[in-house]
Structure formats: C-alpha cells, structure tokens
Amino acid sequence: MSEPIRVLVTGAAGQIAYSLLYSIGNGSVFGKDQPIILVLLDITPMMGVLDGVLMELQDCALPLLKDVIATDKEDVAFKDLDVAILVGSMPRRDGMERKDLLKANVKIFKCQGAALEKYAKKTVKVIVVGNPANTNCLTACKSAPSIPKENFSCLTRLDHNRAKAQIALKLGVTSDDVKNVIIWGNHSSTQYPDVSHAKVKLHGKEVGVYDALKDDSWLKGEFITTVQQRGAAVIKARKLSSAMSAAKAICDHVRDIWFGTPEGEFVSMGIISDGNPYGIPDDLLYSFPVTIKNKTWKVVEGLTINDFSREKMDLTAKELAEEKETAFEFLSSA
C-alpha cells in the first residue's frame, strides 16, 4: 500500500459531493491501492448535515479511507493537500445578475486560493467545479501565486460527456464508441461543443462524426444548443441541478489527471490559455482539448479550425475576457 494522499472536497454537504464522495472513497478515482485521507469542508451552518455525511462514509466501511475529517475551518481543510476539488460556490438565486454571482464567488475563491497558497502542498492539483467555474478557477489561481498555474483546472468534462452522449444516442452506439469531442471555452451557454475532429466506431471501424451522421444542420444547430443548455434542461425537469452526472464527470476529470488519457484520445478541461496554439488570448481559463501524461496536461496541437468554429471559439473567449474583467475589479477590493 502506498502512503495516503490528502483529498479535499468543498461544498461537502451539498448534492454533487453526496454523489462524489463514495466514488473517491471506493478507489474508482485514485486506484484500488491508494489510501486516502478525505477532508470535507463546508460553511458553518451546514456542519449538522456534514456530520450526517461523515456518518454515512463511516458506515460505508471503505478500506481505502484511512481518515475522514469534516471541518468548517480553512486552516484544517487546506493543510498538506495533494488534491483539492472545489465544488462549493455561491449558487445563482432567482433574479440574481451574473455580475452579482461573480462578485460573491470572487470573494470565496480568493479566500480559498489564499488558503491553498498558505497551507497546501505546492504540488497540489486543484479542480474547480463551483460556477462560474472558469473565472472562479482563475481567481483561485491568481490568489495562489506560488502554486504552478498548470496545477489549476476547471470542469468542462460534464459538457464533454454530454456531447459524447448526444452523438452516441443519435447514432445508436454507446458513449464509449465516441471519442475526441471538444468543448471550447467557458462552462456557460457560450461554450462550443465541437465534433469536427471526433470519431465514432461504426461496424468495427472508426469514422469521423460528420461522415457518420451526414446531418450537418443538426450538428451545427440542435446538437450544439442541446449541449449548451443541458444543465438548464435538467434543472427544469428535476427542480435541482445536475449532481449524479456532475460527480461522474469530476471522477473522469480527476482520474485522467492522475492516470493520464488513453493513447489517441483527448479530453476537455478548462486550463490557463497561456501560449496556446489556437489564437485564444493569454491569461484566460479556457477549455481546450488536452492529453495528459505524468499528471501533466498538454493542449492538442494541429487541429484545423474552420470559420464556423473560429467564430464560436472567439465568442466564448470574449465572454471569458468580460467575466475576468468584472471579477478582477472585485478582486482588488475583495
């Protein structure tokens, strides 16, 4: 058995965490021989609920869980972390402007970034899930200057998985038969789900998704809007936001960071845009196609970008630049 790793989940009394914690504890994310010290952080009013979650984790009797720590204190939560999964954020309330949402979250992620800087290992991998995820991630990253920027990523894997699933459903194959879809940009309704480089396994051979479907108008229209607005559709139906699928996507994202991506496959994640080969401005937290090896991501290079894609990629970059500007106004005063 290896040494235990310390893994933090914030917003640990919430819905997504409730679907996530068991998968982390049972070895599906970090491997069946990796012991874990699981740290659960939430706000003080949620500590009663968090105690219930702690009891349930104990009752799961998971052999890999060496310890579970539930806390509302940042100095306890962020100490010596190997992995931080930042799920907790201020949710958008009815009638709340996106600007107000940004302001509330800048404050949270500035604090958490500072706590990472002060208490966590410098090798910590930080995954931001709480929305607006890209800008929250950038805020945390800026607030932890001694942790490498490359260690910060935000979740666009849920959008990636949604795109895969839509293609699979349309073609009557399983999601596993679809690979190399891309989510470009922001985890918002401006994101660009791109299948122009995606492949699907049909009758034993790999073909491009456009060739397989022969339905360009669906791929350039309804497919994109379905993926962009899927989160809202789930809320409308469930009266709650995506939790099971979000937790599954977090597991996929973190497992790929830990173990790498399969040969010939790439995945989507929000990462720092510095020096990217696709003309996206530097210093944005933007979702790109990446391959991962030795816990290090690399943007996939050499993909041809047509005019249709270019316009959509620039549009979501513009939204991210505006969000960043708004957030950073608050950041200096937070």
Side-chain angles (χ1 to χ4, degrees), residues 302-313:
L303 300 172
T304 50
I305 305 297
N306 60 27
D307 293 346
F308 178 80
S309 294
R310 183 77 261 166
E311 192 184 331
K312 294 211 165 334
M313 287 162 69

Side-chain angles (χ1 to χ4, degrees), residues 163-325:
K164 264 177 86 153
Q166 287 302 312
I167 298 297
L169 284 166
K170 189 84 170 169
L171 283 167
V173 297
T174 65
S175 291
D176 218 25
D177 293 325
V178 181
K179 69 174 192 185
N180 297 351
V181 303
I182 301 168
I183 304 296
W184 298 100
N186 199 0
H187 174 64
S188 74
S189 58
T190 68
Q191 63 171 269
Y192 171 42
D194 175 13
V195 291
S196 41
H197 306 280
K199 303 260 190 281
V200 59
K201 208 181 275 162
L202 275 186
H203 318 301
K205 57 174 206 275
E206 265 189 6
V207 282
V209 166
Y210 269 86
D211 295 336
L213 265 170
K214 299 186 175 49
D215 188 347
D216 291 17
S217 66
W218 182 77
L219 282 171
K220 289 184 165 178
E222 196 187 327
F223 162 71
I224 291 175
T225 50
T226 299
V227 176
Q228 286 174 333
Q229 293 162 15
R230 188 69 160 187
V234 171
I235 290 175
K236 195 165 179 241
R238 271 193 90 221
K239 312 291 178 268
L240 292 163
S241 58
S242 317
M244 178 170 43
S245 54
K248 157 67 166 59
I250 295 165
C251 291
D252 290 345
H253 178 119
V254 179
R255 190 189 312 107
D256 284 347
I257 289 177
W258 216 247
F259 292 108
T261 46
E263 196 59 46
E265 268 186 56
F266 47 78
V267 296
S268 309
M269 55 175 67
I271 50 171
I272 196 74
S273 61
D274 297 6
N276 74 85
Y278 294 107
I280 302 302
D282 282 355
D283 207 36
L284 293 177
L285 213 293
Y286 188 99
S287 180
F288 289 97
V290 299
T291 53
I292 304 166
K293 202 175 174 179
N294 303 327
K295 300 189 172 61
T296 307
W297 53 259
K298 194 172 175 300
V299 175
V300 176
E301 295 186 6
L303 300 172
T304 50
I305 305 297
N306 60 27
D307 293 346
F308 178 80
S309 294
R310 183 77 261 166
E311 192 184 331
K312 294 211 165 334
M313 287 162 69
D314 290 345
L315 184 78
T316 190
K318 184 171 174 282
E319 182 184 56
L320 279 169
E322 286 162 8
E323 269 188 30
K324 173 185 154 180
E325 201 180 326

